[in-house]
Amino acid sequence: KAGVTQTPRYLIKTRGQQVTLSCSPISGHRSVSWYQQTPGQGLQFLFEYFSETQRNKGNFPGRFSGRQFSNSRSEMNVSTLELGDSALYLCASSLGLAGLSNTQYFGPGTRLTVL
Amino acid sequence: AQKITQTQPGMFVQEKEAVTLDCTYDTSDQSYGLFWYKQPSSGEMIFLIYQGSYDEQNATEGRYSLNFQKARKSANLVISASQLGDSAMYFCAMREMYSSASKIIFGSGTRLSIRP
């Protein structure tokens, strides 16, 4: 079974631009979560989607948004990029939302650099 | 509010020795799950082991075991017979099962370095 895939793997943008990151979950998984990882702040939760509905949102400004499609694929968008948005963005999928099915499997991440 | 604490920022261990990575958590929920992940320098997070709050036995997966002490709210990861490939960041995580605002939260991580 294929794992979680994220595209692109690397991205360089300039301040003020916007970016869209894509995540394809493991087949059969209906939940997708997004995280931002930086050396200073560690792993921070962005949002979680289940069956196309946003279930949870972390403490990030409205510039960060996401969505999930009917095939469970998810996209994350960051508008008006700032230098501080440079980070590794990790996507994780899980089968469901309870017990062991809650186990999140991560993709390789997208490394975003904002210049 | 739920919280995960990993108090060891870094550890050095000799190859083939056992190592324990500490994790304490705080939650008011009775139903929750605890997870450990490994993140090598490549960046990908690898799931290692899961423990449910109602599981009576400690979880084990190969060389990994979870020392679950519910009363003390600790969920330490034990790696037996460490190998050079175990060098990585290790994250403890928790999710409350039935809270409407539940999400997985991660600790700050422990960087484990295995010496040959």
Side-chain angles (χ1 to χ4, degrees):
Chain A
K1 199 181 247 190
V4 178
T5 58
Q6 291 186 246
T7 56
R9 292 292 312 278
Y10 301 91
L11 207 49
I12 299 175
K13 292 285 188 179
T14 56
R15 278 180 298 175
Q17 287 187 310
Q18 76 163 22
V19 66
T20 299
L21 311 182
S22 180
C23 172
S24 293
I26 292 172
S27 177
H29 284 196
R30 296 170 63 191
S31 173
V32 173
S33 296
W34 288 89
Y35 297 86
Q36 182 196 66
Q37 188 176 30
T38 60
Q41 299 297 319
L43 203 62
Q44 292 188 286
F45 171 77
L46 279 156
F47 24 66
E48 178 182 38
Y49 288 88
F50 182 80
S51 294
E52 302 179 66
T53 301
Q54 187 181 85
R55 279 182 51 88
N56 258 308
K57 191 176 189 305
N59 297 323
F60 278 82
R63 300 185 297 107
F64 291 81
S65 63
R67 59 178 174 167
Q68 186 180 34
F69 302 95
S70 58
N71 61 358
S72 294
R73 191 177 71 85
S74 177
E75 286 182 348
M76 189 193 98
N77 185 274
V78 187
S79 62
T80 319
L81 284 166
E82 301 177 359
L83 294 179
D85 297 334
S86 294
L88 179 66
Y89 290 88
L90 291 164
C91 166
S93 75
S94 66
L95 197 59
L97 298 170
L100 185 55
S101 68
N102 222 336
T103 302
Q104 296 195 335
Y105 295 90
F106 284 78
T110 294
R111 188 164 294 282
L112 172 65
T113 302
V114 182
L115 303 176
Chain B
Q2 51 180 341
K3 186 180 176 182
I4 291 277
T5 302
Q6 294 181 254
T7 57
Q8 306 154 308
M11 288 185 71
F12 286 88
V13 171
Q14 203 67 34
E15 190 181 7
K16 299 181 184 175
E17 288 183 350
V19 57
T20 297
L21 305 181
D22 295 341
C23 172
T24 57
Y25 60 91
D26 191 20
T27 177
S28 55
D29 269 26
Q30 296 301 309
S31 297
Y32 50 89
L34 296 155
F35 309 82
W36 276 93
Y37 287 86
K38 170 185 177 181
Q39 188 178 38
S41 55
S42 60
E44 187 167 353
M45 298 277 280
I46 302 167
F47 166 69
L48 296 177
I49 197 165
Y50 165 84
Q51 179 86 41
S53 60
Y54 290 117
D55 294 341
E56 293 187 353
Q57 299 210 333
N58 287 342
T60 59
E61 287 287 346
R63 294 186 299 112
Y64 305 106
S65 61
L66 201 151
N67 184 359
F68 181 45
Q69 297 187 42
K70 195 170 180 176
R72 296 181 59 190
K73 292 188 175 178
S74 75
N76 298 339
L77 177 71
V78 180
I79 306 174
S80 64
S82 57
Q83 303 170 355
L84 295 178
D86 294 334
S87 294
M89 281 289 287
Y90 288 81
F91 292 93
C92 179
M94 178 182 72
R95 181 167 196 157
E96 295 166 344
M97 290 302 169
Y98 299 112
S99 166
S100 61
S102 171
K103 56 183 183 287
I104 290 186
I105 60 164
F106 287 80
S108 55
T110 295
R111 182 172 297 281
L112 176 64
S113 300
I114 309 297
R115 293 188 177 119

